Amino acid sequence: MVCCILLFAIFQAYSVKIDQANQKLAEISIQGEAYKDLHTRYIVLDEKINGYKAEGMDVSAYLTKLDTLKKYLSSGNFDGFTSLIKTVEIDVDCDHQTFLDNRAKKVVTPPVAVVENGKISGTIKSGNTVLAGVKIALKQGKTEITATTSDNQGKYALEAKVGVYTLTATKQSHSDYTKANISIKSDKPVSLDINLTANTSPPPYNKIIPQSPPPPPPSDSPTPTPTSTYTPTPTPPPSGCPGSYSEALFCLINKHRQDNGKGVLAMDSVLNQVATNHSKWMQ
């Protein structure tokens, strides 16, 4: 009986030991699974951070945090590891997006070609008198590049791209002015005073050249036959008024005027003038 009791006690103690060992093994197994999961997260984060570094992002602060995570993992400080890795995963992704946005804004624009201009200026006179309203132009070949007009003080100023030009100055009643091979430079303005000569010759006119009479006909040509001359038959004077035809017509005109309450006309030396004066009244 005593032996049975001892055996039962030994069995009970052994069972407790076995349960404790199984519990310990279960805890180790659980910790092993947790370690495995956390280690996988660490590897993924490490690859991500080094990938961002390859893109040119500054990840020095995150490399230091990777070292801290590695220490937590090796020491079994799973709580510290879990808390830190959550923060690092969020922050590194936010910083990476900011890095990409800033890089997109840095658009490389090609340099803009600067067009350099030069200047030419001066005063225009005719003798000692300044000339206003003179057209000054810069040309290349037959193409006018730019032009201006002199002011009341005879001054002008033109700007043009750097190059070689021909300058012309024109004004009515003055001779034209032309100067070729003017070099316009950006660092050295050109000064050119111009003196135009006033035209003294009269303006051209259309001269009428008389035509020569036709040559006489050849001597062997037949003599032209003279044409007959028409002699009108005198018209008898109108009835009711004595005298010549002109006097009778003058008489009839004045009678017609008197019948209509108009004054009589005086006999001019030319009967046509009488008829004209009468016709104006008739109209």
Side-chain angles (χ1 to χ4, degrees):
M1 186 65 180
V2 174
C3 290
C4 290
I5 293 173
L6 289 173
L7 289 173
F8 179 76
I10 292 171
F11 177 76
Q12 287 284 46
Y14 182 72
S15 296
V16 172
K17 291 290 185 182
I18 291 176
D19 291 339
Q20 290 176 349
N22 288 334
Q23 185 177 359
K24 189 68 175 178
L25 288 173
E27 291 176 357
I28 292 173
S29 177
I30 293 172
Q31 290 179 351
E33 290 295 328
Y35 176 85
K36 184 179 179 180
D37 292 340
L38 295 177
H39 186 264
T40 301
R41 288 178 68 180
Y42 174 84
I43 296 300
V44 171
L45 180 62
D46 179 75
E47 291 177 351
K48 179 186 287 187
I49 290 174
N50 282 283
Y52 293 166
K53 180 181 179 181
E55 293 179 8
M57 176 179 166
D58 182 11
V59 295
S60 55
Y62 293 105
L63 292 176
T64 301
K65 293 179 180 180
L66 279 177
D67 290 339
T68 303
L69 289 171
K70 189 175 182 180
K71 292 177 181 178
Y72 284 163
L73 196 60
S74 61
S75 64
N77 185 359
F78 297 158
D79 292 337
F81 180 91
T82 302
S83 176
L84 180 59
I85 197 169
K86 285 182 180 179
T87 303
V88 174
E89 288 172 338
I90 295 173
D91 290 347
V92 74
D93 285 339
C94 290
D95 288 349
H96 181 250
Q97 186 59 50
T98 302
F99 165 76
L100 294 178
D101 293 341
N102 292 336
R103 187 172 65 178
K105 293 177 182 178
K106 295 179 181 179
V107 179
V108 179
T109 50
V112 179
V114 178
V115 179
E116 295 184 341
N117 288 345
K119 184 178 181 180
I120 181 170
S121 60
T123 303
I124 301 180
K125 295 182 178 180
S126 178
N128 294 324
T129 305
V130 295
L131 287 180
V134 180
K135 180 182 178 182
I136 305 95
L138 288 178
K139 299 180 179 180
Q140 287 183 329
K142 295 183 178 180
T143 304
E144 182 179 292
I145 305 302
T146 182
T148 188
T149 304
S150 60
D151 61 17
N152 292 333
Q153 286 75 42
K155 297 186 180 297
Y156 74 94
L158 285 171
E159 283 193 9
K161 296 179 182 178
V162 172
V164 179
Y165 298 87
T166 296
L167 183 141
T168 62
T170 55
K171 182 177 176 62
Q172 189 176 7
S173 73
H174 288 76
S175 59
D176 294 345
Y177 174 90
T178 301
K179 185 175 180 61
N181 299 321
I182 295 179
S183 181
I184 301 296
K185 300 179 181 180
S186 61
D187 58 345
K188 188 177 181 181
V190 179
S191 178
L192 179 63
D193 294 333
I194 301 171
N195 202 303
L196 298 184
T197 303
N199 293 331
T200 56
S201 58
Y205 61 92
N206 296 327
K207 184 178 181 180
I208 300 176
I209 301 176
Q211 296 182 353
S212 301
S219 59
D220 56 351
S221 299
T223 304
T225 304
T227 58
S228 59
T229 304
Y230 170 75
T231 303
T233 303
T235 304
S239 60
C241 283
S244 64
Y245 180 84
S246 298
E247 292 173 343
L249 179 60
F250 176 70
C251 174
L252 287 176
I253 288 174
N254 277 332
K255 279 187 176 184
H256 184 250
R257 292 175 65 85
Q258 288 176 343
D259 293 342
N260 288 274
K262 298 292 181 179
V264 297
L265 297 173
M267 180 63 176
D268 293 335
S269 59
V270 181
L271 183 60
N272 289 343
Q273 183 62 43
V274 176
T276 299
N277 294 339
H278 183 61
S279 296
K280 290 181 181 179
W281 166 71
M282 293 290 292
Q283 292 176 358

